[in-house]
Amino acid sequence: MSQELTGVEQARDVVVVGAGPAGLASAIAACQAGLDCQVIERGAIVNSILHFPTNMVFFTTPELLEIGGLPFVTPYAKPTRDEALRYYRRAVDAYDLTVDFGHDVEAISSVRVPDGGSLLAVDTRHPETGPERRLARTVVVAVGAYECPNMLGVPGEDLPHVSHYYREAHPFYRKRVVVVGGKNSAAEAALELHRSGARVTLVHRRAELGDGIKYWVRPDIENRIKEGSVAALFETQVIEIRSTEVTVRQSSGCRTLAADAVFLLTGHHPDTAMLERFGVVVDPGTMVPAHNPETYETNVPNVFLAGQVVSGLRSGLIFIENGRFHGETVIKEIARRLAADRDSVGVPAGSLV
């Protein structure tokens, strides 16, 4: 339901929620289209990449991570996490993007304006400055999926030695570590932990490792498993985690694994609770938000999606390589729509409502 807006206030053409690669690409496209744009980010620039493993090397080549036509220069065939962080910082500076940090977006709602039209109210909260309302003609939600891990739903999952994120191996030297998962993140973590002196057991619910493991990682992890350097339990499910052990179930019954640390690297999904607060309908089975596949507009008028948020539970379908192009498609539609609206009423971009 629309609220009544009293007074005349400044409204942005576009507010982008999320400063990941897809969000930054959307903001850059808006800048190139001459639209007034602001980015809202509760963490840091490309916050997901910041929380990737410290020594991570990307699967892709640098040119496939580029946004805004800015070259990603590196002496390596595959860029590192630190190089990506530097590149995206420079992209923000090059386009002088407006980014507000530390703000959680609590709601997006429609508000009526005195001329009979409507805008979107973006309500945010900052831990120090409190609530704030921004007005926008359109909103692009580009929140990614990395902040919402797929939970196992087992007892002990919230214990302090259990994590859904892996950063580095050194603290686990000579410790017993259980890694749960069978894709890239689990395989790479298991290898790095092993080479740093941890005693690693890899637990995977399926019969074999995932098909999408990086081509240079697969033979490495398979050989380490074959020689016994990394213990591996396939067709195995975790049923309980305790302070020093993990209970798993196999077809032959249950067994207990000693564990000083547990990494549950089982994937991530979009923040569907946030989307639903905005009024976006989310499929309960797939977690895919309702959207037009051609324009990425949701069921909420003038609220669009960009990046991994469109993929639901199948987050592996959208990467930086393809999600970065969503912004161009979205902004093209937004620019067309705003131009048509302004032509009908004679309002220039970035002006007062």
Side-chain angles (χ1 to χ4, degrees), residues 223-244:
N223 286 332
R224 302 295 76 73
I225 291 172
K226 184 181 297 185
E227 71 186 17
S229 299
V230 173
L233 302 177
F234 293 101
E235 297 182 291
T236 303
Q237 290 187 307
V238 174
I239 59 174
E240 185 177 0
I241 303 170
R242 292 179 291 279
S243 58
T244 60

Side-chain angles (χ1 to χ4, degrees), residues 188-226:
E188 289 186 303
L191 288 169
E192 189 170 317
L193 286 160
H194 157 64
R195 293 199 166 98
S196 296
R199 285 173 282 174
V200 183
T201 300
L202 182 66
V203 174
H204 187 35
R205 61 177 179 161
R206 302 195 184 281
E208 57 186 23
L209 297 170
D211 293 336
I213 290 181
K214 299 171 185 177
Y215 65 83
W216 66 88
V217 172
R218 177 175 290 279
D220 192 357
I221 186 64
E222 288 178 343
N223 286 332
R224 302 295 76 73
I225 291 172
K226 184 181 297 185

Side-chain angles (χ1 to χ4, degrees), residues 148 269-277 280 282-283 287-289 312:
C148 296
H269 63 270
D271 188 346
T272 55
M274 170 188 280
L275 294 171
E276 289 168 343
R277 288 200 310 271
V280 177
V282 178
D283 184 282
M287 290 191 178
V288 173

Side-chain angles (χ1 to χ4, degrees), residues 35 75 149 178 224 318:
L35 301 180
V178 172
R224 302 295 76 73
I318 303 295

Side-chain angles (χ1 to χ4, degrees), residues 258-338:
D260 300 305
V262 181
F263 290 101
L264 304 178
L265 306 181
T266 53
H268 306 84
H269 63 270
D271 188 346
T272 55
M274 170 188 280
L275 294 171
E276 289 168 343
R277 288 200 310 271
F278 301 164
V280 177
V281 174
V282 178
D283 184 282
T286 64
M287 290 191 178
V288 173
H291 66 281
N292 182 322
E294 295 182 358
T295 64
Y296 299 104
E297 185 175 19
T298 70
N299 59 286
V300 180
N302 294 319
V303 175
F304 297 79
L305 305 174
Q308 204 171 49
V309 68
V310 307
S311 60
L313 286 173
R314 301 183 68 186
S315 57
L317 295 176
I318 303 295
F319 300 95
I320 298 174
E321 296 95 311
N322 51 6
R324 62 191 174 132
F325 296 120
H326 292 173
E328 296 177 9
T329 301
V330 167
I331 297 302
K332 183 177 180 180
E333 171 61 19
I334 288 174
R336 182 199 66 76
R337 192 173 299 187
L338 293 181

